[in-house]
């Protein structure tokens, strides 16, 4: 018997805006909140985008994409979005499920051969972080900082995890693993019979106008990528992050640069009936169960965390939301929140990881709620 779990995304209650509030006023208040966030969290820059009903209704960037040159951030400024690669990978996986090229219940060994233990867990278990693949392996630091190179295929990056045993019996516990998403990227590559990044581009980035999203190789972001900062000192000085690093090895685990506008455009894939069937859309909003029937502790589905938002102070109705954050250590943080039933999404990115960065996520949710018409969510 599957246990049902309801998880509120944020502790506070959000109230929808009245219909009479004009978009100009909403946009002004959003910019004011962005300035407040930038100051409160001491951010070099902050970029935010909001989409409603398949249209970007707000996109703005404030601050500096490069402090030393005083280059201003714009909506075209690209940021390393870390684990927001996972929702991208989840959507690519969902597309392959819809076109019958992947069966989520089949063992990973059906799609990736010559890998020990790949027959022990299913594709769905791998996507939900319940396969047991370790996350923080020492080979990751070697790949990122010491043996810097561009990785062409997910298979080229198996060395960061394939010599390590599973943490637990597959399907028994939740253990978040970016390494597991390197393996999932290989599953997608083999099932699609196409290079993973090429498939992602053709099946997701291009259909949703994600023109600023790239695999984070040494060739990416030459014109528009932000400069990253690892700390902010008492004398009000930002220290740049290590520049010689490689994120390409992470592929679907965290290997992309993007913009908030691209991210909210991507969010449309979660509710676009012409892109995914209703059945597959529902899998994105359904946390995967462990083998004992309990829902995994992070309410994780196929590349997304699933939560609930309360619509009003006195209203007990909860509405499903999909969300995910991304952090590139000592460099950047980003976040995407989608309310599929309302066809609404908000994303932010910044070129610094401030203390208690997660508190910014709740503030973004409050902004989005202000743009949404409650009645439209139930049509």
């Amino acid at each position: 018997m599957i246990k049902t779990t309801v998880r509120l995304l944020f502790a506070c209650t959000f109230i929808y805006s009245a219909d009479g509030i004009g978009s100009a006023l909403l946009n002004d208040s959003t910019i004011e909140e962005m300035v407040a966030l930038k100051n409160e969290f001491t951010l070099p820059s902050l970029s935010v985008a909001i989409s409603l009903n398949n249209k970007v209704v707000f996109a703005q960037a404030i601050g500096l994409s490069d402090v030393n040159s005083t280059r201003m951030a714009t909506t075209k400024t690209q940021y390393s979005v870390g684990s927001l690669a996972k929702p991208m990978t989840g959507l690519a996986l969902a597309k392959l499920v819809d076109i019958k090229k992947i069966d989520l219940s089949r063992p990973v060994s059906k799609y990736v051969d010559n890998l020990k233990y790949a027959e022990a867990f299913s594709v769905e278990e791998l996507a939900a972080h319940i396969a047991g693949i370790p996350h923080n392996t020492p080979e990751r630091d070697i790949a990122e900082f010491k043996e810097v190179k561009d990785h062409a295929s997910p298979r080229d990056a198996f060395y960061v995890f394939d010599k390590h045993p599973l943490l637990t019996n597959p399907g028994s516990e939740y253990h978040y693993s970016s390494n597991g998403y390197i393996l999932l990227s290989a599953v997608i590559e083999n099932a699609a019979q196409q290079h993973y990044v090429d498939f992602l581009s053709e099946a997701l980035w291009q259909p949703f106008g994600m023109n600023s999203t790239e695999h984070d190789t040494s060739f990416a972001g030459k014109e528009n990528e932000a400069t990253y900062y690892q700390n902010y000192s008492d004398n009000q000085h930002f220290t740049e992050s290590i520049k010689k690093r490689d994120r390409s090895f992470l592929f679907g685990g965290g290997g992309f640069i993007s913009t908030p506008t691209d991210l909210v455009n991507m969010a449309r894939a979660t509710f676009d009936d012409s892109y995914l069937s209703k059945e597959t859309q529902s899998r994105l909003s359904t946390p995967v169960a462990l083998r004992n029937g309990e829902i995994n502790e992070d309410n994780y589905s196929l590349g997304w965390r699933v939560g609930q938002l309360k619509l009003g102070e006195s209203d007990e109705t909860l509405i499903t939301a999909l969300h995910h954050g991304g952090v590139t250590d000592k460099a950047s943080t980003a976040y995407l929140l989608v309310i599929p039933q309302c066809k609404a999404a908000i994303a932010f990115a910044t070129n610094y990881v401030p203390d208690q960065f997660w508190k910014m996520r709740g503030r973004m949710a409050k902004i989005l709620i202000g743009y949404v018409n409650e009645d439209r969510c139930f049509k």
Side-chain angles (χ1 to χ4, degrees), residues 164-237:
H164 295 268
L166 297 180
L167 296 174
T168 59
N169 291 328
S172 64
E173 296 179 19
Y174 175 89
H175 291 281
Y176 185 85
S177 176
S178 292
N179 290 339
Y181 264 65
I182 298 173
L183 177 53
L184 185 59
S185 301
V187 169
I188 289 170
E189 181 168 279
N190 292 345
Q193 296 185 316
Q194 186 178 9
H195 188 281
Y196 165 76
V197 175
D198 289 343
F199 178 74
L200 204 62
S201 178
E202 291 182 15
L204 183 66
W205 298 348
Q206 292 177 29
F208 292 98
M210 299 171 66
N211 300 318
S212 296
T213 304
E214 301 179 75
H215 188 205
D216 196 3
T217 67
S218 61
F219 301 99
K222 291 296 186 181
E223 294 184 7
N224 294 314
E225 188 172 7
T227 300
Y228 304 114
Y229 300 93
Q230 59 181 313
N231 60 42
Y232 183 75
S233 64
D234 292 338
N235 62 358
Q236 299 182 337
H237 175 74

Side-chain angles (χ1 to χ4, degrees), residues 27 50-52 55-59 371:
N27 290 350
I50 299 168
S51 67
L52 296 173
K55 181 181 178 182
V56 176
V57 297
F58 178 89
Y371 280 79

